């Protein structure tokens, strides 16, 4: 689909009908994706996928034929078809105005058309020497505002040469204040939500401007010192292409967008400031590092927040996730839970949130509160709380008397369409499952406390003939409780291999069905519903047995204990 499919090997560029840069622009119109622009030394336009091309500009380069000889000369001929000079290096159409197109050449000329190519104006910034127009940006907020990044490193000149116009190129302002000496911007982009917030990729790193380019500040963070060749904002993330050091992504620009005015005006930030995150797609999988290179974004809703002072033992930072009605879904703290005990097959340690002075970042993984365990018991299952469905939520950050609250929006996978009723049905089922797991584990933990008491008394009474009846009642009661408990949990399992040695019990069955329901497809199957009916029926029976233990067996044991008037604390009992 080339405009002029000629064989260009060993042909001097001055003799070609069209000269194309090795990186010749191919740009789809932001207003009509069927319109494609392609640029050589002139601009072409197609609306039929390249079957035919319309030339919509004259030569927009210096067209200096003295610099259009054999590539690589005089040493060797590199004329493989792409070693051309006096070509259009960059082309961009305004997202606000169809037909307003800017071009920049590899020889330092800037042109604009306001009528789709019928008429062109040379708007090269005054005194800009022969250079490469590496990139251009058209403001997504203000008509007539555009930016140019030129460079002359091929001339061994490393000056910064970035310019801004607000009147379609009639006048230009140099915007290089703050760029390091012998550094230069290769590319800049204006924030799509915040006018005047600019991101700059340079030969040696990254810059940011909070005031439309009047001055720049380094914003290197953990980015390598490397040439940045292009920047793109996608889904409110900033993507940087670098010269040989991979792609880098700054996830969620919300914090910069929402704080830029305060920083630019040197206003004092609040003691606690939670920034509202971008709408977050709820997706499954993709957690952790990639197979070989790079890493995936943090899984969940990314929350950025500012703290005037760091949290400490006396001033704890707390994060609360709530539904839109204010009901708590999950809580986090900056303070480590010193009482937490871990064991194989048990719940994970509670996550702590970072709380240093300055900007912090934490990702809520869409999950409700972690489920409780049974101390020391291995359970095949995931204690992670249910995944919250798409919808509107709130986040509240509290430290001392300072509180900051923002809204959270979670959206479903855009590739899939589900009835909102399906999400509601899934969550209802997950809440039922979690309620059963909590009830079972709470019942076991409560009975463990009873067993501990009985065991302690039996250790004191086992050699005392006067109280043998109470000792034997304790032994019998322990056997009954252990038998009841054996239907709910398998304590002989100690690791993943043991699950094939001893069958898992009712609590694991609920964990298993939770895993079947808690997925990106919210439809609850008939098989799940039938299994839930069976499991809840079993738990109802065991709960009835538990109540009988409490109301009959434990009550009977207590009566013997009371009748004997045995003190709560015993040092020694003699016949």
């Amino acid at each position: 689909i080339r405009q002029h499919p000629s064989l260009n090997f060993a042909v001097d560029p001055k003799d070609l009908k069209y000269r194309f840069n090795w990186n010749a622009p191919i740009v789809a119109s932001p207003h009509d994706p069927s319109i494609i622009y392609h640029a050589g030394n002139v601009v072409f336009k197609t609306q039929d996928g390249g079957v035919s091309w319309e030339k919509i500009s004259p030569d927009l380069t210096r067209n200096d034929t003295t610099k259009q000889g054999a590539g690589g000369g005089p040493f060797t001929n590199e004329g493989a078809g792409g070693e051309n000079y006096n070509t259009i290096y960059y082309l961009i159409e305004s997202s606000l105005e169809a037909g307003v197109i800017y071009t920049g050449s590899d020889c330092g000329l800037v042109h604009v058309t306001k009528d789709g190519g019928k008429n062109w104006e040379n708007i090269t910034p005054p005194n800009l020497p022969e250079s490469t127009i590496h990139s251009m940006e058209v403001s997504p907020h203000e008509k007539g505002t555009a930016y140019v990044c030129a460079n002359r490193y091929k001339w061994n000149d490393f000056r910064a040469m970035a310019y801004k116009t607000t009147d379609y190129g009639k006048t230009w302002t140099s915007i290089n204040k703050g760029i390091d000496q012998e550094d230069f911007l290769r590319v800049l982009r204006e924030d799509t939500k915040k006018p005047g917030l600019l991101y700059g990729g340079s030969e040696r790193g990254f810059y940011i401007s909070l005031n439309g380019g009047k001055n720049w500040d380094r914003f290197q963070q953990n980015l390598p010192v490397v040439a940045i060749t292009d920047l793109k904002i996608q889904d409110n993330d900033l993507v940087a292409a670098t010269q040989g050091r991979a792609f880098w992504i700054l996830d969620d620009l919300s914090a910069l967008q929402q704080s830029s005015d305060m920083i630019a005006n040197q206003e004092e930030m609040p003691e606690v400031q939670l920034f509202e995150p971008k709408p977050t797609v709820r997706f499954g999988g993709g957690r952790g590092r990639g197979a070989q290179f790079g890493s995936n974004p943090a899984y969940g809703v990314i929350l950025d927040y500012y703290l005037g002072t760091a949290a400490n033992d006396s001033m704890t930072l707390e994060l609360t996730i709530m539904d839109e009605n204010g009901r708590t879904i999950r809580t986090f703290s900056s303070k480590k839970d010193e009482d937490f005990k871990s064991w194989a097959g048990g719940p994970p340690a509670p996550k702590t949130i970072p709380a240093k002075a300055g900007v912090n970042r934490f990702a809520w993984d869409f999950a409700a509160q972690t489920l409780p365990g049974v101390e020391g018991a291995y359970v095949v299952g995931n204690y992670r709380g249910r995944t919250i469905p798409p919808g509107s939520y709130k986040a509240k950050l509290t430290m001392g008397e300072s509180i900051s609250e923002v809204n959270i929006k979670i959206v479903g996978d855009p590739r899939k369409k589900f009835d909102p009723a399906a999400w509601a049905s899934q969550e209802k089922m997950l809440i039922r499952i979690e309620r059963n797991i909590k009830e079972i584990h709470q019942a076991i933990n409560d009975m463990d406390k009873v067993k501990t008491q009985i065991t302690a008394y039996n250790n004191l009474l086992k050699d005392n003939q006067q109280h043998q009846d109470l000792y034997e009642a304790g032994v019998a009661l322990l056997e009954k409780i252990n038998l009841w408990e054996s239907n709910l949990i398998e304590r002989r399992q100690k690791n993943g291999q043991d699950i094939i040695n001893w069958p898992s019990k009712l609590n694991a069955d609920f964990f298993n069905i939770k895993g079947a329901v808690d997925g990106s497809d919210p439809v609850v199957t008939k098989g799940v519903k039938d299994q839930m009916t069976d499991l809840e029926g079993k738990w109802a029976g065991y709960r009835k047995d538990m109540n009988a233990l409490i109301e009959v067996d434990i009550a009977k044991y207590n009566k013997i204990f009371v009748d004997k008037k045995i003190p709560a604390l015993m040092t020694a009992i003699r016949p």
Side-chain angles (χ1 to χ4, degrees):
I1 60 169
R2 289 169 59 191
Q3 293 86 343
H4 188 69
S6 58
L7 183 63
N8 299 332
F9 296 148
V11 178
D12 287 352
K14 65 184 177 182
D15 297 324
L16 298 174
K17 184 171 184 178
Y18 302 117
R19 297 182 303 278
F20 289 90
N21 193 278
W22 189 276
N23 297 317
I26 304 176
V27 179
S29 169
H31 305 280
D32 182 354
S34 70
I35 297 176
I36 305 293
Y37 302 104
H38 189 21
N41 57 310
V42 300
V43 178
F44 296 95
K45 172 183 175 181
T46 182
Q47 292 181 272
D48 56 13
V51 174
S52 61
W53 293 90
E54 175 189 2
K55 187 174 75 169
I56 63 169
S57 84
D59 193 317
L60 300 180
T61 74
R62 296 178 188 271
N63 194 19
D64 183 352
T65 57
T66 65
K67 298 178 180 179
Q68 296 173 18
F75 305 105
T76 181
N77 182 13
E78 290 291 336
E83 298 76 13
N84 304 320
Y85 189 55
N86 298 146
T87 64
I88 296 172
Y89 193 83
Y90 206 86
L91 181 149
I92 185 171
E93 183 177 14
S94 168
S95 61
L96 300 178
E97 300 175 278
V100 175
I101 305 168
Y102 295 81
T103 67
S105 72
D106 62 0
C107 50
L109 297 185
V110 181
H111 288 81
V112 67
T113 178
K114 301 173 188 173
D115 52 17
K118 295 177 182 178
N119 298 281
W120 290 85
E121 299 175 62
N122 185 336
I123 57 168
T124 305
N127 302 318
L128 176 65
E130 189 171 359
S131 55
T132 297
I133 307 300
H134 186 274
S135 69
M136 309 178 74
E137 170 77 340
V138 181
S139 173
H141 305 288
E142 298 177 357
K143 295 178 180 179
T145 296
Y147 308 86
V148 166
C149 292
N151 64 63
R152 281 176 52 83
Y153 68 86
K154 293 178 182 178
W155 285 263
N156 205 31
D157 181 351
F158 296 95
R159 286 177 293 164
M161 294 185 292
Y163 300 88
K164 176 181 179 179
T165 180
T166 58
D167 53 13
Y168 298 96
K170 292 179 182 178
T171 60
W172 292 91
T173 303
S174 175
I175 53 168
N176 299 293
K177 185 179 179 181
I179 305 299
D180 291 349
Q181 188 175 5
E182 294 205 345
D183 196 4
F184 53 88
L185 294 179
R186 283 175 170 263
V187 57
L188 71 83
R189 299 293 177 217
E190 185 169 13
D191 190 272
T192 54
K193 294 185 178 182
K194 187 66 178 177
L197 176 56
L198 306 182
Y199 309 105
S202 78
E203 179 68 8
R204 297 181 178 87
F206 190 80
Y207 294 84
I208 189 169
S209 174
L210 306 176
N211 51 20
K214 292 180 182 178
N215 59 273
W216 295 87
D217 293 293
R218 274 278 185 182
F219 197 74
Q220 195 69 16
Q221 306 297 84
N222 63 325
L223 188 69
V225 176
V226 63
I228 296 174
T229 56
D230 206 353
L231 295 169
K232 181 176 176 59
I233 296 173
Q234 181 73 21
D235 297 329
N236 214 40
D237 299 335
L238 182 64
V239 184
T242 72
Q243 190 74 36
R245 292 295 295 275
F247 287 100
W248 291 75
I249 301 177
L250 180 60
D251 294 310
D252 197 354
L253 297 169
S254 298
L256 286 171
Q257 293 159 342
Q258 294 166 35
S259 64
S260 60
D261 284 344
M262 285 186 286
I263 298 172
N265 298 328
Q266 296 184 335
E267 298 176 13
E268 186 175 349
M269 293 282 287
E271 186 64 19
V272 174
Q273 177 67 55
L274 186 58
F275 300 106
E276 186 164 315
K278 67 177 183 178
T280 307
V281 177
R282 202 198 88 160
F283 61 93
R287 309 174 198 179
R289 296 189 64 81
Q292 186 173 3
F293 301 107
S295 60
N296 290 317
Y299 177 74
V301 179
I302 295 176
L303 295 168
D304 291 320
Y305 49 93
Y306 171 85
L307 301 178
T309 56
N312 51 48
D313 291 340
S314 60
M315 189 73 75
T316 302
L317 181 68
E318 294 181 348
L319 173 65
T320 305
I321 306 296
M322 303 170 286
D323 66 17
E324 57 185 343
N325 297 315
R327 290 186 292 263
T328 298
I329 294 172
R330 187 144 180 213
T331 58
F332 300 93
S333 173
S334 62
K335 188 174 183 179
K336 183 180 179 181
D337 184 357
E338 300 294 345
D339 296 327
F340 176 79
K341 297 179 181 179
S342 64
W343 64 89
K351 287 184 178 180
T352 57
I353 56 175
K356 68 179 187 297
V359 178
N360 297 265
R361 169 166 284 187
F362 179 75
W364 167 48
D365 62 356
F366 306 114
Q369 203 70 29
T370 303
L371 296 173
V374 174
E375 186 175 338
Y378 183 95
V379 177
V380 53
N382 191 339
Y383 287 89
R384 182 177 180 272
R386 69 186 183 279
T387 306
I388 299 302
S392 298
Y393 301 90
K394 297 178 181 179
K396 182 173 71 173
L397 201 62
T398 305
M399 190 164 73
E401 300 297 320
S402 300
I403 298 175
S404 181
E405 187 173 310
V406 296
N407 295 318
I408 293 174
K409 186 72 175 179
I410 298 176
V411 297
D413 189 329
R415 300 168 299 179
K416 302 176 181 179
K417 302 298 180 184
F418 293 109
D419 186 340
W423 291 112
S425 176
Q426 181 196 48
E427 183 173 43
K428 185 177 180 180
M429 178 61 74
L430 287 169
I431 290 173
R432 275 177 63 190
I433 295 169
E434 290 189 341
R435 183 177 63 245
N436 281 281
I437 292 173
K438 291 175 183 177
E439 287 178 356
I440 291 172
H441 284 186
Q442 184 63 53
I444 295 171
N445 287 329
D446 287 346
M447 280 298 186
D448 277 350
K449 294 176 183 178
V450 173
K451 288 162 58 178
T452 298
Q453 296 174 73
I454 296 171
T455 301
Y457 282 118
N458 279 3
N459 287 336
L460 288 169
L461 298 172
K462 62 182 177 180
D463 296 324
N464 192 311
Q465 296 300 317
Q466 183 179 349
H467 300 297
Q468 276 299 294
D469 54 342
L470 183 57
Y471 171 78
E472 291 172 1
V475 171
L477 183 53
L478 283 174
E479 288 180 356
K480 277 195 170 185
I481 294 174
N482 286 332
L483 180 61
W484 167 82
E485 182 188 88
S486 67
N487 296 301
L488 304 177
I489 191 168
E490 179 51 78
R491 289 190 182 269
R492 291 173 295 180
Q493 293 178 356
K494 301 299 180 183
N495 52 53
Q497 181 64 29
D498 281 346
I499 65 174
I500 61 175
N501 296 328
W502 292 284
S504 299
K505 300 300 175 66
L506 188 62
N507 67 335
D509 287 333
F510 275 109
F511 273 112
N512 178 62
I513 200 171
K514 173 179 173 291
V517 175
D518 197 356
S520 58
D521 184 340
V523 176
V524 180
T525 66
K526 183 177 183 299
V528 165
K529 294 175 182 177
D530 291 344
Q531 174 73 328
M532 270 296 288
T533 299
D534 292 344
L535 296 180
E536 287 184 324
K538 291 180 180 179
W539 171 226
Y542 297 135
R543 186 167 48 225
K544 185 177 178 181
D545 294 341
M546 177 187 69
N547 291 334
L549 280 169
I550 295 171
E551 294 168 5
V552 178
D553 298 274
I554 293 177
K556 183 178 178 181
Y557 178 86
N558 284 337
K559 187 175 186 308
I560 298 172
F561 198 94
V562 171
D563 288 345
K564 286 181 171 291
K565 297 180 181 179
I566 296 175
L569 297 176
M570 294 175 282
T571 56
I573 297 178
R574 295 181 178 82

